[in-house]
Amino acid sequence: SGYLLPLLAFALMYRRWQKKGKDPSGRSVIPVEYEAPDKLTPLEVGYLVHQKFSKDYVSAELVYLASRGYISIREIKKEGFISDSFDYELRVKKDWTSDSMLAAHDVTILNGIFGGGTSVLISSLKQKFYKTQVAVAKDVRNCVVDERSYFVEDPVMAANKYRGLAIALFVLAFFLPLPISYRISIVLSGVVVFLFAFIMPKRTPKGVEAWQQSLGFKEYLEMAETNRVKWEEKENLFFKFLPYAM
């Protein structure tokens, strides 16, 4: 009877997902979109699609800020005995402190990078930029969850609740003085809960619409419409969309 526990866990988690985690229905067919939804930045799109913050999104956001004219990015080649290495210089091109249209997380990124200066090397940020990343993650979460209402609740917190429950089941299986069959059942139940954690974050109807538009924009960036891409290269819009493809 102990082996019925994972089946019970699956049934309970499935019911929980239907009530608390399943996204509202969206469009059955996702059309190609030619721009990011709601004028979202690459960092916001990444959070919306993948339901979490990643430091890789910051690199794309820097290219986005360069395309908006706030900074310039210059590659610096350093010749080595065996192989060459590369660094990048970031330089301020436009003041952002009085720009009310700039997202809070972009302001945090720029302040964290330059700190009142006008230029910096990427290599100099490796040991100190992590504090800024924490603040950026909080800012983009506030934007996507609170301001734009794309999620019912913080997707990271929603997933972590169930990951924590799964870990608790693993610990119980290890410490409780139970027959091996029951221990295995508890572990398998924990695996079920852990896997469901990935799909528990729930988008709002508005979030589903923006998410599907993001997927349509991704299809466009993957050159679904070659002729239009060629036109945009002529119009010098390739650099504008490059950050979203990173």
Side-chain angles (χ1 to χ4, degrees):
S1 60
Y3 290 110
L4 294 176
L5 188 59
L7 296 177
L8 177 61
F10 180 86
L12 291 174
M13 287 304 302
Y14 182 77
R15 182 177 177 82
R16 183 74 175 175
W17 170 74
Q18 285 188 311
K19 287 186 175 183
K20 299 292 186 179
K22 186 178 181 181
D23 284 346
S25 298
R27 290 177 289 185
S28 57
V29 178
I30 300 177
V32 174
E33 300 284 347
Y34 302 113
E35 60 183 358
D38 300 336
K39 297 183 179 180
L40 297 179
T41 73
L43 188 53
E44 292 166 339
V45 170
Y47 197 99
L48 170 64
V49 172
H50 300 289
Q51 304 177 339
K52 63 180 181 179
F53 170 82
S54 171
K55 62 181 181 181
D56 294 335
Y57 302 156
V58 177
S59 299
E61 199 75 3
L62 288 175
V63 178
Y64 167 78
L65 290 170
S67 73
R68 293 280 306 277
Y70 289 97
I71 63 174
S72 63
I73 304 175
R74 183 172 69 92
E75 182 181 79
I76 300 175
K77 181 178 180 181
K78 298 179 180 180
E79 296 185 357
F81 180 74
I82 299 177
S83 61
D84 297 335
S85 61
F86 296 89
D87 202 349
Y88 296 89
E89 181 192 53
L90 306 179
R91 184 174 292 274
V92 175
K93 291 183 63 179
K94 183 170 65 174
D95 178 53
W96 65 84
T97 56
S98 58
D99 191 341
S100 60
M101 300 300 293
L102 200 60
H105 51 268
D106 286 335
V107 174
T108 301
I109 289 173
L110 292 170
N111 288 337
I113 288 176
F114 294 105
T118 58
S119 66
V120 66
L121 294 177
I122 288 290
S123 58
S124 68
L125 300 174
K126 291 182 178 179
Q127 302 301 324
K128 59 182 181 180
F129 193 65
Y130 69 94
K131 293 182 179 179
T132 299
Q133 287 182 344
V134 173
V136 170
K138 182 178 180 181
D139 284 343
V140 72
R141 177 259 175 223
N142 290 340
C143 175
V144 174
V145 179
D146 296 333
E147 296 176 15
R148 295 187 180 272
S149 301
Y150 287 152
F151 290 92
V152 173
E153 62 176 319
D154 183 344
V156 176
M157 293 295 295
N160 284 344
K161 287 189 297 185
Y162 296 97
R163 293 191 182 107
L165 176 58
I167 292 172
L169 290 173
F170 296 150
V171 172
L172 286 175
F174 183 80
F175 286 104
L176 289 180
L178 296 172
I180 187 64
S181 61
Y182 284 92
R183 289 173 182 250
I184 293 174
S185 294
I186 294 175
V187 169
L188 292 176
S189 299
V191 171
V192 169
V193 174
F194 187 84
L195 293 176
F196 264 95
F198 290 96
I199 59 173
M200 289 308 294
K202 183 176 183 177
R203 297 180 180 90
T204 62
K206 181 181 177 182
V208 170
E209 182 180 2
W211 170 60
Q212 290 189 325
Q213 289 174 350
S214 297
L215 297 181
F217 185 45
K218 178 183 178 182
E219 184 177 351
Y220 168 60
L221 293 177
E222 293 173 348
M223 305 180 70
E225 304 230 348
T226 305
N227 292 334
R228 190 177 177 97
V229 170
K230 289 180 179 179
W231 176 82
E232 289 188 346
E233 286 178 347
K234 292 180 181 179
E235 297 295 320
N236 199 30
L237 293 177
F238 176 76
F239 188 49
K240 174 184 175 181
F241 291 146
L242 175 63
Y244 296 94
M246 296 177 64

